[in-house]
Amino acid sequence: MRNPTILASGILGVSGDMLIRAAHGGAGAVTSKSCSLEPRVGHPNPTVIESEGLMMNAIGLSNPGVDEEIRELRRAIKDAGVPVIASVFADRLEEFAAVTSRSSEAWPHLIELNISCPNVESKIGMPFSCSFETAAKATQLARSSTKLPLIVKLSPNVPDIVSIARAVEDAGADAICAINTVGPGMAIDIQARRPILSNKTGGISGKLIRPIALRCVYQISRAVKIPVIGTGGIENGKDALEMLMCGARAVGVGTAVYSQGPEVFSKINQELENLMKKQGYSKISEIKLVD
Amino acid sequence: MLPIPFEITKISKDNAKTRTLLLAGQLPTRPSPGQFVMAWLPGIGEKPIGVAGLAPLRLTIAKVGPFSSAVHQLKKGDFIWLRGPFGKGFKIKGKPAILIAGGYGIAPLTFLAEEMKKRKIKFTLIAGAKTKNELPPKKIPATVFCTNDGSSGAKGFATDLLEKLLSKSAVSCVYGCGPEAMLVKLAEICGKRKIPFQISLDRYMKCGIGICGSCAINGFLACKDGPVFDEKQVAKMPDFGKTKLDESGRRVRA
């Protein structure tokens, strides 16, 4: 990677052209919006609300299905000039194998397994990443369906993220991305006397979740050997450096694309470079996990 | 920004298909012509709607689906919730201009015409519709009307009138809003004559604020970079007039 910033999954959508735009905006790698075997329309609007550094979304994993997404991925792989990470998810555990193997046909540089979206629930009523058994099972199924490096994205909404991280590492994950959105949360409109999001609840992102992301990445980094991509509320170079000090080897950027546009990656990288120089680091690998 | 409730103070029936809601109060920032709001009806849905005018704040909504049908059921004193204004609107260039509207594409252009009148910029507004009872009310200044079936005004497409006007006099810019097929024709006519244009594109939107990518068109976001695009941007959009993304992100015919 030319730099440690990665476009987080779900941001800027499914089209190859938007992934290319994020790459032009300075991202060191780009992640596609999660796709499933079949197309999904997601939840009705309102699906996203934003207020004072906090974003809440319940898009509901809308995507055109893996067959169409493969074309978009190929377009991005051809022209983005940076590694492309294909994010996949499934409603049912059994489908993780098929969606992983189909996505791999586009030959992205990596596959990211999204087992942590709070807007889609498994049969047991929570995301697969909420139990180490289902998290490990999904990872195993994906692992046996692709030769590509596999990232597993985890949910912070669990009492013990370390046991989940260990479980996916043991199940064959090559890297962990943490964290997905926090909550889910709710927003009420008093005039309407009802929740604003049509799904009633939505995953929280933005700068307010950064302390949770830092803590999760710190705990995971101390517990596993595989690299961690630290994601959650990063908006500037200082945020990125803090995340790297918590053990992350790269940082995901999502909600900041809303406030600062797809050029936010160049800005973060520039700030990070300056700050590293000031702190006496000459490369990322010199940044050690804090005690 | 969270949705803000606006009380409806008056509803005018523009024609068989469209109604204009007049609202009490103003948006947090002043919208410019071509910008849009995300309009929410609790329990029904939320859609991008172009602002049709200020003082009072106005929204013109055609009955095309479940959301707009619900809007047409609203009465004076009811509320509609808005987030916005969002996106980039029309950039007024001065000198004589042509505004061209197809069907309910008239809404943002009414607002633009209002603004041009205020700034004393000469313009002609071409308002086209399929038939007489889908034309806008005849109170907008400097307007020529046409219908596809010839039931009112000139017979033919709005772009036929545009071609005629352009051959008669020089204009600085053509501003368009309407069905994509009309905008394609507009781009073709202006391109041939090397006349700058700005057009408002209609794409399916979810967030409205440049994060979800639902409204992407060749690396542009209709909600953030648009919905108004100029001829230089349109030249970089091979999908213009051909495909757009549906709710799931699948490519469908534009």
Side-chain angles (χ1 to χ4, degrees):
Chain A
M1 271 169 64
R2 63 183 182 190
N3 69 60
T5 59
I6 302 176
L7 171 73
S9 178
I11 308 299
L12 298 177
V14 295
S15 70
D17 286 327
M18 289 314 301
L19 295 179
I20 293 168
R21 181 159 171 196
H24 289 170
V30 292
T31 316
S32 62
K33 181 168 167 59
S34 302
C35 84
S36 48
L37 275 182
E38 299 298 324
R40 279 172 74 106
V41 294
H43 298 306
N45 278 351
T47 45
V48 181
I49 50 175
E50 174 280 326
S51 175
E52 293 161 27
L54 187 150
M55 186 172 281
M56 197 153 30
N57 91 80
I59 299 269
L61 289 167
S62 57
N63 79 90
V66 70
D67 289 344
E68 189 147 335
E69 186 55 18
I70 282 175
R71 284 201 291 274
E72 300 295 332
L73 284 170
R74 283 189 174 133
R75 162 126 185 73
I77 292 159
K78 182 170 159 276
D79 288 332
V82 299
V84 173
I85 304 165
S87 175
V88 298
F89 79 97
D91 275 334
R92 298 180 301 136
L93 267 177
E94 311 84 86
E95 285 177 5
F96 274 103
V99 73
T100 303
S101 108
R102 285 287 287 127
S103 277
S104 300
E105 288 171 30
W107 288 104
H109 299 79
L110 305 101
I111 297 276
E112 180 171 284
L113 207 56
N114 178 4
I115 55 171
S116 48
C117 179
N119 299 322
V120 171
E121 293 178 339
S122 65
K123 269 181 237 153
I124 47 170
M126 53 186 186
F128 297 112
S129 69
C130 287
S131 115
F132 66 87
E133 282 126 350
T134 47
K137 187 75 194 152
T139 307
Q140 276 161 13
L141 287 165
R143 175 71 290 160
S144 57
S145 312
T146 186
K147 290 191 174 71
L148 296 170
L150 185 67
I151 306 166
V152 178
K153 187 162 183 175
L154 300 186
S155 165
N157 313 316
V158 292
D160 178 14
I161 198 165
V162 168
S163 67
I164 314 271
R166 285 200 178 115
V168 303
E169 181 183 40
D170 292 345
D174 298 297
I176 286 170
C177 178
I179 54 174
N180 209 318
T181 54
V182 171
M186 234 176 156
I188 300 293
D189 186 279
I190 57 168
Q191 182 73 35
R193 301 180 184 186
R194 61 192 304 155
I196 300 173
L197 293 171
S198 77
N199 186 50
K200 296 188 172 70
T201 64
I204 300 169
S205 64
K207 65 181 174 194
L208 293 177
I209 73 161
R210 204 164 56 82
I212 298 171
L214 289 173
R215 184 267 298 167
C216 289
V217 169
Y218 172 77
Q219 289 181 328
I220 296 167
S221 298
R222 288 166 68 98
V224 301
K225 291 190 183 68
I226 53 177
V228 180
I229 301 167
T231 305
I234 292 172
E235 293 190 333
N236 55 49
K238 182 170 169 286
D239 295 349
L241 184 55
E242 289 177 15
M243 189 58 96
L244 295 168
M245 286 179 163
C246 284
R249 299 277 292 276
V251 297
V253 178
T255 305
V257 173
Y258 148 70
S259 50
Q260 305 179 56
E263 298 71 32
V264 67
F265 299 96
S266 295
K267 196 210 76 165
I268 292 175
N269 284 317
Q270 193 56 59
E271 290 170 352
L272 177 62
E273 215 171 283
N274 296 343
L275 208 50
M276 282 173 60
K277 224 175 269 168
K278 233 182 188 172
Q279 290 291 328
Y281 297 113
S282 59
K283 48 183 192 284
I284 302 268
S285 56
E286 289 174 6
I287 302 168
K288 295 281 174 267
L289 172 59
V290 294
D291 273 335
Chain B
M1 180 190 309
L2 298 173
I4 303 166
F6 285 83
E7 190 180 346
I8 300 165
T9 54
K10 198 182 160 192
I11 299 169
S12 65
K13 205 174 164 201
D14 301 335
N15 59 40
K17 251 188 165 171
T18 63
R19 280 177 194 202
T20 296
L21 310 182
L22 281 67
L23 307 174
Q26 290 297 341
L27 294 165
T29 56
R30 189 181 192 277
S32 66
Q35 282 194 299
F36 69 95
V37 291
M38 292 299 289
W40 176 44
L41 284 184
I44 310 287
E46 189 193 41
K47 294 270 179 199
I49 307 282
V51 176
L54 289 174
L57 182 60
R58 293 195 297 282
L59 300 177
T60 297
I61 295 166
K63 197 172 174 176
V64 290
F67 177 82
S68 48
S69 297
V71 170
H72 279 221
Q73 302 282 314
L74 295 173
K75 292 174 194 73
K76 184 183 162 186
D78 286 344
F79 284 83
I80 187 163
W81 282 251
L82 309 178
R83 299 189 281 138
F86 295 136
K88 303 224 166 36
F90 294 102
K91 289 180 268 311
I92 299 178
K93 289 198 153 181
K95 294 283 164 50
I98 294 179
L99 282 55
I100 166 168
Y104 52 87
I106 189 72
L109 293 184
T110 313
F111 185 12
L112 180 64
E114 221 174 66
E115 204 65 28
M116 286 184 164
K117 208 179 143 203
K118 230 187 268 170
R119 298 199 203 171
K120 300 195 165 56
I121 292 164
K122 271 192 171 174
F123 67 87
T124 306
L125 171 61
I126 305 168
K130 278 189 195 128
T131 183
K132 188 181 171 181
N133 64 9
E134 291 181 15
L135 278 175
K138 303 198 169 176
K139 59 186 177 198
I140 312 159
T143 308
V144 286
F145 294 92
C146 65
T147 49
N148 299 357
D149 64 2
S151 54
S152 178
K155 184 176 175 175
F157 291 103
T159 44
D160 300 339
L161 267 181
L162 171 69
E163 237 172 342
K164 253 184 224 165
L165 286 175
L166 288 179
S167 61
K168 271 195 260 171
S169 57
V171 300
S172 63
C173 189
V174 174
Y175 305 84
C177 186
E180 195 134 322
M182 181 197 98
L183 299 177
V184 168
K185 186 82 188 155
L186 180 162
E188 200 183 294
I189 293 167
C190 291
K192 237 190 286 173
R193 296 164 193 264
K194 299 205 164 38
I195 296 168
F197 63 84
Q198 294 174 31
I199 53 178
S200 178
L201 295 186
D202 184 22
R203 287 295 180 273
Y204 181 80
M205 286 183 193
K206 287 182 197 263
C207 75
I209 54 176
I211 196 143
C212 76
S214 303
C215 63
I217 169 164
N218 298 115
F220 292 97
L221 293 172
C223 73
K224 193 107 182 180
D225 307 309
V228 176
F229 294 99
D230 65 18
E231 73 283 352
K232 289 183 198 83
Q233 293 169 308
V234 172
K236 292 180 200 156
M237 290 178 185
D239 293 346
F240 167 59
K242 295 192 178 75
T243 62
K244 59 181 180 182
L245 305 180
D246 71 4
E247 287 165 279
S248 68
R250 266 188 292 187
R251 279 183 198 282
V252 294
R253 275 183 68 123

